[in-house]
Amino acid sequence: GRGRGRGPEYAGHMELDTAQIADAAAQYPFSGVVTQHVGSARVFEFAQGFANRGLAVPVDVDTQFGIASGSKGFTALAIMRLVEEGAVRLDQPVREFLRDDLPLIDEALTIGHLLEHTSGIGDYIDEDDDEADVADFVLTVPVHTLTTAESFIPAIDGLAQRSGAGAEYVYNNSGYVVLGIVLERVTGVRFQDAVTQLVLDPAGMTNSGFLHLNDLPGSVALGYLEPEGNLVNTLHLPIAGSADGGGFTTADDMHAFWCALAAGRIVTADTLDLMVRIRHEDVEDGLASGLGLYLHPSGRMWALSGYDAGQSFYSWHIPETQTTATVLGNTSDGSWGVMRTVMDHVRAEVGSGGS
């Protein structure tokens, strides 16, 4: 592992500890990058592992990583941009956009239900299957056909409602796929292009996007299924990403994203206030949820996370101190020890009240 920091405190903030991160990374097969940004400065960085094992190319702080469900937050923000424009309403029935497609979806389902994971629709990925292995081939249609949100319709068609719309919080991938379909039908462009135009570009995320898994540039870390070997995730994920996951980004771009979000450069302050209002308590790792974002119970920290074949990701942001901590990994399970260490640190800083 290669780490760099500026000492125990920087500009009044608690800095990540290189020894603690290195210890956590040594206990688990970590391959990836850990960073901390404060304001305009990257104050901590740690990198370990290979972006390409076959060629022994090490990861570094500028490497692009897949972030799996982390990009659900981008989908949510793109939808909220349409809400601001008056093209979509949170209380609008989704059936108005789906028309005759996906007939098993509850007629009462609204855009808001999809955003806050209370849709109750059948999920094409069974999040409750404890026997599932991340190396399983879970997609029921050829991955090379999944190039747009519309192309997912055969993958989620025929899945019955599991509960009534708005009845309960249940994390749901299909719900965000449907939001991608709405994005395409309202904007007239591919979901990936809509998110780029509405979210990534305004955030200044110049090294982020939806890359094709069979055409990755050398700046990208390949996603490995196991701690050793060269088996990658190409046939396990949609070829071009999807509205419920599949974006690629860098540590610096994640900090740019959070700062742009807090500064009102993606959505207005009123819209952001709506998104960071706690709607459901303790839904992941002790965090609450808003619209497309995870939230510390105090409301003082926002987060996004993702996990899939060959991808593991978590990013936390404390807006009042412009502090971001991000973990990007290119293995399925190897990042979680490091993530827990970073999460403990971020919670301590939120609890301390910052500077």
Side-chain angles (χ1 to χ4, degrees), residues 50-58 218 222 224 230:
F50 293 102
N52 186 310
R53 292 176 183 172
L55 297 177
V57 177
L222 301 181
Y224 291 98
N230 294 318

Side-chain angles (χ1 to χ4, degrees), residues 78-92 96-97 186 271:
I79 288 289
M80 295 307 291
R81 286 288 305 274
L82 299 185
V83 171
E84 289 180 346
E85 295 169 7
V88 171
R89 302 189 320 273
L90 289 178
D91 64 354
Q92 190 166 6
E96 295 182 15
F97 302 99
V186 172
T271 297

